[in-house]
Amino acid sequence: MHEILYWSEGLRVKGLLAEPVKKGVYDGFLYLRGGIKGIGMVRPSRIAQFAQQGFIVFAPYYRGNRGGEGNEDFAGDDRMDAVNGNIIIRNHSSFSGALHVFGFSRGGVMALLTGIEDQTVTSIVTWNGVSDMVLTYRERKDMRRMMKRVIGGSPSKSPKAYAWRTPLHEVSKIKCPVLIIHGEQDDNVSPDHAYQLEEKLKEHDKPVESWYHQTYDHMYPPLENIATVKKLTAWMKQQRR
């Protein structure tokens, strides 16, 4: 593993790169974390879990974190930290040419926005992911103060800022298959985010697959988590162009 300092829209941003020990040719895996600032920060053990499945994994911290320049703005301009993270993977000497994007929680929005901005990605997986920022504001009373501060107000005061951060409006631009994973007991990111995303993708005839679990919440039990990681990475490898 290596901590990487890279350029994103004129800012020096940091992220974590994990590579399989064995020499070879590997697909790329852009890991997009959830949360904001210290909440949901990239964990080396989690990144290693995906690298062990045979991927070059890069996980941006997002701007303003761990010594990176700028300020994280919750799927605003910091979406480009994800898009530019793709360049790190594509320039890796062991990169196969297939690049997959994964987002967890708030990272779900980042993954979808990355697929909208970079239409060459091979697949997108969103796990308990946000798809609608207005819905997040309504559901998460504990996050409203932060969202008002970072985004510039409430949805009624700053509707354009919330619409810009809501990829549901632009899923027609996504060119790759999408896998939706969601625990239907999730109180942090309700399954309505997944249902809306699936419906929108189908409206635009986009290839989408959904794995819902009736009894799981935002954090899957450890054994099911491991099994789901193996299953979703196998799905990714089946999407190679």
Side-chain angles (χ1 to χ4, degrees):
M1 286 193 185
H2 307 277
E3 191 169 70
I4 302 293
L5 183 68
Y6 68 107
W7 288 103
S8 179
E9 308 300 287
L11 298 172
R12 289 180 292 184
V13 180
K14 290 185 175 182
L16 189 65
L17 178 71
E19 311 156 285
V21 173
K22 185 178 179 181
K23 295 295 182 183
V25 178
Y26 299 102
D27 285 7
F29 188 112
L30 185 71
Y31 179 96
L32 300 173
R33 49 161 287 217
I36 187 170
K37 298 296 183 183
I39 300 171
M41 180 49 71
V42 173
R43 292 183 291 116
S45 60
R46 185 62 165 164
I47 305 311
Q49 191 178 13
F50 288 103
Q52 286 168 352
Q53 300 303 313
F55 291 88
I56 301 161
V57 184
F58 184 63
Y61 297 158
Y62 307 143
R63 58 189 61 188
N65 289 307
R66 300 279 177 92
E69 295 176 342
N71 293 300
E72 189 176 1
D73 61 352
F74 214 58
D77 289 328
D78 60 6
R79 71 187 64 190
M80 297 309 298
D81 304 343
V83 175
N84 290 317
N86 286 347
I87 298 170
I88 300 297
I89 298 172
R90 289 198 170 101
N91 287 337
H92 197 284
S93 59
S94 299
F95 177 52
S96 70
L99 197 157
H100 310 277
V101 181
F102 171 91
F104 178 77
S105 194
R106 167 267 179 105
V109 160
M110 301 295 280
L112 295 166
L113 292 172
T114 299
I116 290 165
E117 294 281 349
D118 182 350
Q119 297 177 3
T120 66
V121 300
T122 305
S123 73
I124 296 171
V125 175
T126 173
W127 187 344
N128 283 356
V130 171
S131 67
D132 183 340
M133 276 296 186
V134 175
L135 182 58
T136 296
Y137 183 88
R138 291 172 180 163
E139 292 177 341
R140 294 296 301 273
K141 294 181 180 179
D142 58 319
M143 292 176 60
R144 288 181 184 175
R145 186 174 180 181
M146 177 278 290
M147 294 180 76
K148 287 178 182 177
R149 173 176 54 81
V150 173
I151 297 176
S154 66
S156 59
K157 182 179 178 181
S158 306
K160 290 182 179 179
Y162 282 81
W164 182 51
R165 290 169 167 83
T166 298
L168 291 175
H169 306 307
E170 295 186 281
V171 295
S172 62
K173 296 179 181 178
I174 294 175
K175 302 297 184 184
C176 65
V178 178
L179 172 62
I180 301 168
I181 305 171
H182 217 103
E184 293 186 295
Q185 299 302 314
D186 191 347
D187 290 330
N188 288 12
V189 180
S190 79
D192 288 336
H193 288 267
Y195 303 151
Q196 286 189 79
L197 176 59
E198 182 178 12
E199 182 179 353
K200 282 289 184 182
L201 288 166
K202 287 180 176 178
E203 279 180 17
H204 292 281
D205 295 319
K206 300 298 179 179
V208 57
E209 188 170 334
S210 301
W211 302 346
Y212 297 116
H213 202 290
Q214 293 181 347
T215 61
Y216 295 160
D217 55 23
H218 199 58
M219 303 301 293
Y220 279 30
L223 291 179
E224 183 60 28
N225 188 304
I226 292 168
T228 303
V229 165
K230 291 180 178 178
K231 188 178 175 184
L232 77 86
T233 51
W235 178 88
M236 284 178 166
K237 291 174 182 178
Q238 292 171 1
Q239 314 309 313
R240 290 191 184 103
R241 294 177 178 177

